[in-house]
Amino acid sequence: MNDILPDEARRWQRIESTFRETAGLYGYGEVRTPLIEDTSLFVRQIGETTDVVEKEMYTFDRHGESLTVRPEGTAGAARAYVEHNISNKEPVSRWYYLGPMFRGERPAKGRYRQFYQAGCELYGDAGPVSDAELIELSVRVLSTLGIGDLRVHVSSLGSGDTRERYREALLAHLTPNKASLSEDSQRRLEKNPLRILDSKDPKDRAAAEGAPSILEVLSEQDREHFDGVRRGLDALGVEHVVDTKLVRGLDYYTRTLFEIKAEGADLGAQSTVCGGGRYDGMIESLGGAAVPAIGFAMGLERILVAMGASEAVTRRTAVYVAVMFDGGIAPALKLAKQARDLGIGCEVDSKGAKLKAMLKRADASGARLCVIVGEDEIAKGSVTVKDLAERSQEEVALDSFQAFLSQQKVLLTSHARAD
Ligand code: HAM
């Protein structure tokens, strides 16, 4: 789990606002659900034999209930969708969320126990166009943030009996080599052989070599849906690769699966910055109507790494008010207030110092103007304003200070936003 200090938090805010704005372009509205849900919600939706449920959830008992701190956002959003009877109110709903998720995973670069996701969920549209648009939305967020070298992987899990048929085909391939599988996979073989394709264990990888591809057993409707998604992606100009080894770590998916990898980033095995897919059965299984759904979530820590250090932010406030003597405090506070009333960021330094040291601190703060509140100037009813970029200075009367700032407002407000 990480602390995020103010300089870094500015970079987070940039990701968050880009995400919100982009999601807004497609009609998504924010949903905020609790961090804690009934454990059974996650166990049922994510799947009993997944790593998330078996090994990673932060689960505790309180007041006779088993509760879990959310490991992801999809199940909670779907629970809210059903609980508030949304399908009766609107045919299609587009929700997004941003916030911390918790998984007790082994920490590594890009893999944390508290991490942040930005996600979108779309309810009520089963057609492949919505899959393509949703994938394009996630690519747009990442490319707007300047992340190049993205690789979009897509696949389909099929639906209904496709999965059952694939399960059998996989079992037929894996069972003769059961003894060579990892312990985990031997245990899961009968229940969930698909997970074995996702295993990082070299023994499992060897056994999965040459396994049949799910695309070979797709039903005609599932195949049509998948082709439709790919045609949509082509129309939107989203380059993608079909990856039949794509297995997501959550069991609720049906049909479309996708992941986006930031190939150029220094993320090692954690290069997947975004993952998602269709989960047409979840709303009904939670007691709602038979409403299809699709969504994705992206990991903010990984996005930050992929963005690199190019976004270093140094600017804070535009105006630095340097108090040079005790009697200068009251006028300095007034000047600072006037600046902020104009919407211009301002910092007051009343720690005291010689002029040279004060100017050094003003420079280090990243401010554009340093307002020197000195004894001689105040006696004359004025202050000295130094432009730290231009290295120029002028004397400004106290009663025209706000008008003076106002003239430079465009420069000063854009300076404050230079990140
Ligand atoms: P997920 O693949 O488990 O999917 O997570 C989505 C993204 O969250 C990952 O691609 C990764 O960027 C980030 N992430 C996951 N675990 C960690 C971690 N321990 N540390 C840092 N980042 C992490 C889901 O969570 C689904 N709910 C996505 C979805 C939404 N599917 C449909 N709708």
Side-chain angles (χ1 to χ4, degrees):
M1 301 187 187
N2 297 305
D3 296 314
I4 302 161
L5 304 180
D7 268 351
E8 219 198 325
R10 276 187 201 98
R11 304 179 69 217
W12 283 75
Q13 287 164 356
R14 164 130 196 267
I15 302 177
E16 289 162 5
S17 59
T18 300
F19 174 73
R20 285 179 200 281
E21 278 163 28
T22 311
L25 292 177
Y26 297 72
Y28 285 76
E30 183 175 4
V31 61
R32 301 189 185 199
T33 63
L35 294 191
I36 297 169
E37 300 272 359
D38 276 335
T39 300
S40 62
L41 172 72
F42 299 118
V43 174
R44 292 210 188 107
Q45 299 307 324
I46 295 174
E48 257 173 290
T49 56
T50 57
D51 280 349
V52 174
V53 168
E54 276 192 346
K55 306 179 190 160
E56 297 167 2
M57 294 205 303
Y58 288 99
T59 296
F60 60 98
D61 290 315
R62 194 57 38 96
H63 310 303
E65 292 173 306
S66 175
L67 303 171
T68 292
V69 193
R70 64 180 188 193
E72 58 106 52
T74 308
R79 191 238 350 109
Y81 179 89
V82 172
E83 199 167 312
H84 298 274
N85 216 348
I86 306 298
S87 68
N88 275 353
K89 297 174 190 151
E90 53 190 31
V92 174
S93 308
R94 294 182 176 86
W95 289 3
Y96 79 79
Y97 51 85
L98 253 170
M101 307 293 162
F102 301 82
R103 296 182 194 173
E105 293 196 72
R106 200 143 39 85
K109 185 167 191 182
R111 190 168 66 216
Y112 308 102
R113 292 182 167 171
Q114 173 171 337
F115 59 98
Y116 287 75
Q117 280 187 346
C120 283
E121 311 290 349
L122 179 136
Y123 308 97
D125 189 341
V129 172
S130 54
D131 306 37
E133 281 214 298
L134 183 102
I135 295 171
E136 194 255 340
L137 192 178
S138 57
V139 171
R140 185 186 291 271
V141 172
L142 297 168
S143 46
T144 305
L145 290 167
I147 304 174
D149 246 347
L150 294 172
R151 224 173 141 88
V152 180
H153 295 240
V154 295
S155 183
S156 174
L157 266 187
S159 58
D161 71 336
T162 309
R163 290 186 71 172
E164 193 46 41
R165 277 186 287 124
Y166 185 54
R167 204 183 89 90
E168 272 157 28
L170 259 189
L171 270 179
H173 177 84
L174 293 170
T175 311
N177 305 320
K178 183 171 177 181
S180 69
L181 295 172
S182 71
E183 231 172 87
D184 260 0
S185 294
Q186 292 194 25
R187 192 168 42 77
R188 284 174 178 168
L189 181 62
E190 285 292 325
K191 263 188 171 168
N192 200 347
L194 260 75
R195 300 225 40 84
I196 297 171
L197 298 182
D198 188 34
S199 168
K200 309 269 181 299
D201 191 301
K203 285 193 257 172
D204 297 336
R205 290 199 162 208
E209 201 63 43
S213 148
I214 188 147
L215 298 180
E216 291 163 22
V217 295
L218 284 188
S219 70
E220 205 179 314
Q221 291 93 323
D222 289 337
R223 157 67 64 185
E224 265 171 34
H225 183 92
F226 188 52
D227 290 344
V229 176
R230 299 200 58 204
R231 274 197 305 276
L233 289 174
D234 288 339
L236 289 162
V238 177
E239 277 181 39
H240 57 279
V241 291
V242 175
D243 176 358
T244 55
K245 288 242 158 58
L246 189 59
V247 179
R248 309 263 304 115
L250 312 153
D251 277 354
Y252 46 64
Y253 293 111
T254 53
R255 293 195 159 167
T256 312
L257 290 182
F258 77 100
E259 281 188 353
I260 305 178
K261 296 186 193 289
E263 297 285 340
D266 177 23
L267 275 162
Q270 275 68 248
S271 67
T272 304
V273 289
C274 177
R278 200 163 258 293
Y279 51 100
D280 288 341
M282 189 186 291
I283 300 298
E284 198 173 12
S285 83
L286 287 169
V291 175
I294 180 166
F296 70 80
M298 34 182 84
L300 268 55
E301 289 81 359
R302 295 184 191 181
I303 291 177
L304 270 173
V305 174
M307 280 166 66
S310 60
E311 292 295 320
V313 174
T314 48
R315 302 279 179 257
R316 285 194 287 182
T317 50
V319 177
Y320 198 90
V321 182
V323 183
M324 304 308 298
F325 72 115
D326 273 356
I329 292 176
L333 290 175
K334 268 191 208 134
L335 298 175
K337 186 167 179 292
Q338 287 175 358
R340 295 178 191 129
D341 285 348
L342 287 172
I344 295 169
C346 182
E347 192 173 332
V348 177
D349 184 343
S350 59
K351 290 202 303 269
K354 291 250 161 43
L355 185 59
K356 206 169 152 207
M358 194 63 104
L359 286 173
K360 220 171 158 187
R361 293 211 289 257
D363 255 335
S365 81
R368 174 70 191 252
L369 298 183
C370 181
V371 180
I372 300 158
V373 185
E375 196 158 8
D376 295 348
E377 289 96 333
I378 291 295
K380 285 189 279 171
S382 66
V383 285
T384 300
V385 179
K386 229 174 158 47
D387 186 322
L388 297 168
E390 301 275 319
R391 295 278 148 203
S392 60
Q393 71 175 53
E394 63 187 289
E395 202 160 324
V396 178
L398 288 175
D399 53 14
S400 57
F401 181 73
Q402 202 171 24
F404 167 83
L405 282 189
S406 183
Q407 276 165 13
Q408 309 201 35
K409 190 171 167 178
V410 175
L411 182 129
L412 293 174
T413 44
S414 69
H415 175 84
R417 273 197 233 104
D419 55 328

